[in-house]
Amino acid sequence: MKLVFLGPPGAGKGTQAQVICEKLSIPHISTGDMLRSAIANKTPTGLKAKAYVESGALVPDEVLIEMVRERLSNADCANGYLLDGFPRTVHQASALDEIQAPDLVIDVDVSDDMLLKRLTGRRVCTKCGGTFHISTLENENVCPVCGAPLIQRKDDTPETISNRLSVYHTQTAPLIDFYSAAGKLRRVDGAAQPGEVTNAILLALGC
Ligand code: ADP
Ligand code: ZN
């Protein structure tokens, strides 16, 4: 199955993607994770992307389209894929249709108020990649899964978050109509508990 997770930053796409990918045996392709690792490793793509990512702007379409084209050509995508964070513009969506069009697009819907709360309290593990919210952590600095240090992402500061939300509304939200018109859009309520969101997604996928 070829899937796209659409939805604003902080909607819980990454958390849901991990569960769904394991169930369907398809790779979880997060362009945000790919870019952060490219930046950390100072690859040519990372050097191009750094300033955009840190300010909450979108990295130019051509950079992302090439990155995804290459990733989807890997053998592990033979059974499908789950894209998380791509496409984010209509241009990227048209390019994806030419590379390997998705079967279904899940829109994880959450209000801006709730997104703001989630993102400002988000912490990520430096080792296992887990994502947590301070409201559920005993210690804000220690990963409850593996014990490694937790950090706040550089783009999870209040100013950058508000940039990312406005970028989402102007550039990415139009994809809701794009995929709706193609009959591929399924909407789920991302404000519910994680387990309930997973069930709603599985229902939408017919699994
Ligand atoms: P979020 O929590 O905002 O969903 P991601 O981890 O998906 O964050 O992405 C972080 C940043 O990486 C974005 O704010 C943007 O700068 C860059 N990025 C990720 N995917 C794309 C894309 N498809 N097009 C352009 N920029 C992207
Ligand atoms: Zn960890």
mmCIF file of all heavy atoms in Angstrom, residues 9-10 13 31-32 35-36 52-53 57-59 64 85-86 88 92 122 153 155 164, ligand 1:
data_model
loop_
_atom_site.group_PDB
_atom_site.id
_atom_site.type_symbol
_atom_site.label_atom_id
_atom_site.label_comp_id
_atom_site.label_asym_id
_atom_site.label_seq_id
_atom_site.Cartn_x
_atom_site.Cartn_y
_atom_site.Cartn_z
ATOM 1 N N PRO A 9 2.165 20.251 11.431
ATOM 2 C CA PRO A 9 3.220 19.849 12.360
ATOM 3 C C PRO A 9 2.628 19.628 13.743
ATOM 4 O O PRO A 9 1.810 20.426 14.201
ATOM 5 C CB PRO A 9 4.183 21.046 12.376
ATOM 6 C CG PRO A 9 3.458 22.181 11.747
ATOM 7 C CD PRO A 9 2.430 21.582 10.846
ATOM 8 N N GLY A 10 2.987 18.533 14.373
ATOM 9 C CA GLY A 10 2.488 18.250 15.714
ATOM 10 C C GLY A 10 1.198 17.452 15.728
ATOM 11 O O GLY A 10 0.647 17.164 16.788
ATOM 12 N N LYS A 13 1.722 12.642 13.257
ATOM 13 C CA LYS A 13 1.962 11.810 12.074
ATOM 14 C C LYS A 13 3.084 10.801 12.315
ATOM 15 O O LYS A 13 2.966 9.639 11.962
ATOM 16 C CB LYS A 13 2.347 12.683 10.860
ATOM 17 C CG LYS A 13 1.290 13.703 10.473
ATOM 18 C CD LYS A 13 1.642 14.412 9.151
ATOM 19 C CE LYS A 13 2.915 15.243 9.218
ATOM 20 N NZ LYS A 13 2.797 16.454 10.043
ATOM 21 N N THR A 31 10.430 12.850 5.715
ATOM 22 C CA THR A 31 11.390 13.779 5.090
ATOM 23 C C THR A 31 12.040 14.680 6.135
ATOM 24 O O THR A 31 13.192 15.060 5.984
ATOM 25 C CB THR A 31 10.717 14.614 3.985
ATOM 26 O OG1 THR A 31 9.491 15.155 4.473
ATOM 27 C CG2 THR A 31 10.438 13.767 2.761
ATOM 28 N N GLY A 32 11.307 14.990 7.226
ATOM 29 C CA GLY A 32 11.905 15.789 8.303
ATOM 30 C C GLY A 32 13.078 15.037 8.933
ATOM 31 O O GLY A 32 14.160 15.599 9.140
ATOM 32 N N LEU A 35 15.995 14.981 6.516
ATOM 33 C CA LEU A 35 16.695 16.270 6.459
ATOM 34 C C LEU A 35 17.528 16.506 7.711
ATOM 35 O O LEU A 35 18.672 16.945 7.634
ATOM 36 C CB LEU A 35 15.696 17.417 6.272
ATOM 37 C CG LEU A 35 15.031 17.495 4.894
ATOM 38 C CD1 LEU A 35 13.896 18.523 4.902
ATOM 39 C CD2 LEU A 35 16.060 17.862 3.820
ATOM 40 N N ARG A 36 16.963 16.178 8.890
ATOM 41 C CA ARG A 36 17.735 16.388 10.125
ATOM 42 C C ARG A 36 18.979 15.528 10.124
ATOM 43 O O ARG A 36 20.050 15.967 10.567
ATOM 44 C CB ARG A 36 16.871 16.106 11.366
ATOM 45 C CG ARG A 36 15.936 17.276 11.702
ATOM 46 C CD ARG A 36 15.154 17.050 12.983
ATOM 47 N NE ARG A 36 14.124 16.037 12.830
ATOM 48 C CZ ARG A 36 12.918 16.269 12.302
ATOM 49 N NH1 ARG A 36 12.588 17.475 11.900
ATOM 50 N NH2 ARG A 36 12.040 15.291 12.178
ATOM 51 N N TYR A 52 16.713 26.699 6.110
ATOM 52 C CA TYR A 52 15.256 26.602 5.939
ATOM 53 C C TYR A 52 14.629 25.859 7.114
ATOM 54 O O TYR A 52 13.662 26.316 7.718
ATOM 55 C CB TYR A 52 14.907 25.841 4.654
ATOM 56 C CG TYR A 52 15.368 26.502 3.380
ATOM 57 C CD1 TYR A 52 16.520 26.071 2.721
ATOM 58 C CD2 TYR A 52 14.639 27.543 2.821
ATOM 59 C CE1 TYR A 52 16.932 26.660 1.539
ATOM 60 C CE2 TYR A 52 15.038 28.141 1.641
ATOM 61 C CZ TYR A 52 16.191 27.702 0.995
ATOM 62 O OH TYR A 52 16.590 28.282 -0.162
ATOM 63 N N VAL A 53 15.179 24.689 7.411
ATOM 64 C CA VAL A 53 14.608 23.859 8.470
ATOM 65 C C VAL A 53 14.624 24.602 9.802
ATOM 66 O O VAL A 53 13.633 24.611 10.535
ATOM 67 C CB VAL A 53 15.374 22.522 8.592
ATOM 68 C CG1 VAL A 53 14.910 21.740 9.809
ATOM 69 C CG2 VAL A 53 15.193 21.693 7.325
ATOM 70 N N ALA A 57 10.872 27.345 7.559
ATOM 71 C CA ALA A 57 10.446 27.512 6.160
ATOM 72 C C ALA A 57 10.513 26.168 5.450
ATOM 73 O O ALA A 57 11.119 25.221 5.950
ATOM 74 C CB ALA A 57 11.354 28.516 5.461
ATOM 75 N N LEU A 58 9.908 26.084 4.263
ATOM 76 C CA LEU A 58 10.018 24.860 3.476
ATOM 77 C C LEU A 58 11.334 24.867 2.704
ATOM 78 O O LEU A 58 11.753 25.899 2.181
ATOM 79 C CB LEU A 58 8.860 24.741 2.480
ATOM 80 C CG LEU A 58 7.472 24.517 3.066
ATOM 81 C CD1 LEU A 58 6.464 24.290 1.940
ATOM 82 C CD2 LEU A 58 7.453 23.339 4.028
ATOM 83 N N VAL A 59 11.957 23.716 2.627
ATOM 84 C CA VAL A 59 13.139 23.529 1.796
ATOM 85 C C VAL A 59 12.638 23.534 0.342
ATOM 86 O O VAL A 59 11.535 23.031 0.071
ATOM 87 C CB VAL A 59 13.820 22.193 2.173
ATOM 88 C CG1 VAL A 59 15.009 21.893 1.279
ATOM 89 C CG2 VAL A 59 14.227 22.211 3.648
ATOM 90 N N LEU A 64 13.631 18.440 -2.270
ATOM 91 C CA LEU A 64 12.798 17.385 -1.679
ATOM 92 C C LEU A 64 12.381 16.349 -2.708
ATOM 93 O O LEU A 64 12.366 15.150 -2.434
ATOM 94 C CB LEU A 64 11.557 18.024 -1.053
ATOM 95 C CG LEU A 64 11.637 18.319 0.433
ATOM 96 C CD1 LEU A 64 11.723 17.030 1.240
ATOM 97 C CD2 LEU A 64 12.830 19.192 0.775
ATOM 98 N N GLY A 85 5.356 13.832 5.918
ATOM 99 C CA GLY A 85 6.024 15.134 5.729
ATOM 100 C C GLY A 85 6.237 15.482 4.268
ATOM 101 O O GLY A 85 6.795 16.532 3.958
ATOM 102 N N PHE A 86 5.828 14.630 3.381
ATOM 103 C CA PHE A 86 5.921 14.857 1.943
ATOM 104 C C PHE A 86 4.699 14.226 1.288
ATOM 105 O O PHE A 86 4.363 13.098 1.647
ATOM 106 C CB PHE A 86 7.198 14.221 1.371
ATOM 107 C CG PHE A 86 7.407 14.480 -0.105
ATOM 108 C CD1 PHE A 86 8.219 15.521 -0.526
ATOM 109 C CD2 PHE A 86 6.791 13.684 -1.061
ATOM 110 C CE1 PHE A 86 8.410 15.765 -1.887
ATOM 111 C CE2 PHE A 86 6.970 13.932 -2.415
ATOM 112 C CZ PHE A 86 7.786 14.975 -2.827
ATOM 113 N N ARG A 88 4.357 18.484 0.635
ATOM 114 C CA ARG A 88 3.950 19.637 1.435
ATOM 115 C C ARG A 88 3.529 20.809 0.558
ATOM 116 O O ARG A 88 3.146 21.850 1.092
ATOM 117 C CB ARG A 88 5.125 20.091 2.302
ATOM 118 C CG ARG A 88 5.096 19.628 3.743
ATOM 119 C CD ARG A 88 6.342 20.175 4.411
ATOM 120 N NE ARG A 88 6.265 20.284 5.832
ATOM 121 C CZ ARG A 88 6.644 19.342 6.690
ATOM 122 N NH1 ARG A 88 7.064 18.183 6.257
ATOM 123 N NH2 ARG A 88 6.586 19.564 7.975
ATOM 124 N N GLN A 92 4.982 19.493 -5.173
ATOM 125 C CA GLN A 92 5.519 18.207 -4.702
ATOM 126 C C GLN A 92 4.505 17.083 -4.936
ATOM 127 O O GLN A 92 4.870 15.959 -5.305
ATOM 128 C CB GLN A 92 5.870 18.277 -3.209
ATOM 129 C CG GLN A 92 7.053 19.194 -2.892
ATOM 130 C CD GLN A 92 7.376 19.257 -1.395
ATOM 131 O OE1 GLN A 92 6.881 18.457 -0.600
ATOM 132 N NE2 GLN A 92 8.208 20.217 -1.013
ATOM 133 N N ARG A 122 7.115 19.396 23.278
ATOM 134 C CA ARG A 122 7.670 18.183 22.679
ATOM 135 C C ARG A 122 9.157 18.022 23.013
ATOM 136 O O ARG A 122 9.924 18.968 22.975
ATOM 137 C CB ARG A 122 7.493 18.250 21.160
ATOM 138 C CG ARG A 122 8.117 17.088 20.412
ATOM 139 C CD ARG A 122 7.477 16.879 19.079
ATOM 140 N NE ARG A 122 7.945 17.813 18.071
ATOM 141 C CZ ARG A 122 7.562 17.769 16.793
ATOM 142 N NH1 ARG A 122 6.712 16.838 16.399
ATOM 143 N NH2 ARG A 122 8.005 18.641 15.935
ATOM 144 N N ARG A 153 13.675 20.009 19.855
ATOM 145 C CA ARG A 153 14.121 20.283 18.497
ATOM 146 C C ARG A 153 14.323 21.777 18.309
ATOM 147 O O ARG A 153 13.582 22.575 18.851
ATOM 148 C CB ARG A 153 13.061 19.782 17.505
ATOM 149 C CG ARG A 153 13.415 18.450 16.888
ATOM 150 C CD ARG A 153 12.259 17.873 16.149
ATOM 151 N NE ARG A 153 11.689 18.770 15.149
ATOM 152 C CZ ARG A 153 10.709 18.411 14.306
ATOM 153 N NH1 ARG A 153 10.217 17.191 14.366
ATOM 154 N NH2 ARG A 153 10.252 19.251 13.420
ATOM 155 N N ASP A 155 13.606 23.606 15.923
ATOM 156 C CA ASP A 155 12.461 24.299 15.314
ATOM 157 C C ASP A 155 11.193 24.168 16.165
ATOM 158 O O ASP A 155 10.112 24.477 15.706
ATOM 159 C CB ASP A 155 12.228 23.827 13.875
ATOM 160 C CG ASP A 155 11.922 22.337 13.763
ATOM 161 O OD1 ASP A 155 12.078 21.603 14.765
ATOM 162 O OD2 ASP A 155 11.517 21.904 12.678
ATOM 163 N N ARG A 164 5.892 27.685 11.158
ATOM 164 C CA ARG A 164 5.564 26.390 10.557
ATOM 165 C C ARG A 164 4.056 26.237 10.388
ATOM 166 O O ARG A 164 3.594 25.678 9.395
ATOM 167 C CB ARG A 164 6.136 25.253 11.407
ATOM 168 C CG ARG A 164 7.645 25.110 11.197
ATOM 169 C CD ARG A 164 8.331 24.421 12.353
ATOM 170 N NE ARG A 164 7.833 23.085 12.587
ATOM 171 C CZ ARG A 164 7.844 22.489 13.779
ATOM 172 N NH1 ARG A 164 8.302 23.128 14.839
ATOM 173 N NH2 ARG A 164 7.407 21.265 13.896
HETATM 174 P P1 ADP B 1 6.858 18.773 11.486
HETATM 175 O O1 ADP B 1 6.959 18.481 12.933
HETATM 176 O O2 ADP B 1 6.775 20.238 11.162
HETATM 177 O O3 ADP B 1 5.860 17.902 10.782
HETATM 178 P P2 ADP B 1 9.050 17.609 9.973
HETATM 179 O O4 ADP B 1 9.981 16.866 10.824
HETATM 180 O O5 ADP B 1 8.154 16.869 9.051
HETATM 181 O O6 ADP B 1 8.268 18.527 10.955
HETATM 182 O O7 ADP B 1 9.836 18.698 9.086
HETATM 183 C C1 ADP B 1 10.709 19.633 9.674
HETATM 184 C C2 ADP B 1 11.174 20.660 8.644
HETATM 185 O O8 ADP B 1 11.831 20.005 7.533
HETATM 186 C C3 ADP B 1 10.084 21.500 7.990
HETATM 187 O O9 ADP B 1 9.691 22.603 8.780
HETATM 188 C C4 ADP B 1 10.782 21.921 6.666
HETATM 189 O O10 ADP B 1 11.714 22.947 6.894
HETATM 190 C C5 ADP B 1 11.564 20.672 6.293
HETATM 191 N N1 ADP B 1 10.779 19.766 5.410
HETATM 192 C C6 ADP B 1 10.361 18.502 5.715
HETATM 193 N N2 ADP B 1 9.656 17.968 4.712
HETATM 194 C C7 ADP B 1 9.604 18.917 3.731
HETATM 195 C C8 ADP B 1 9.005 19.003 2.432
HETATM 196 N N3 ADP B 1 8.276 17.984 1.932
HETATM 197 N N4 ADP B 1 9.174 20.134 1.706
HETATM 198 C C9 ADP B 1 9.896 21.148 2.184
HETATM 199 N N5 ADP B 1 10.484 21.171 3.390
HETATM 200 C C10 ADP B 1 10.346 20.066 4.173
#
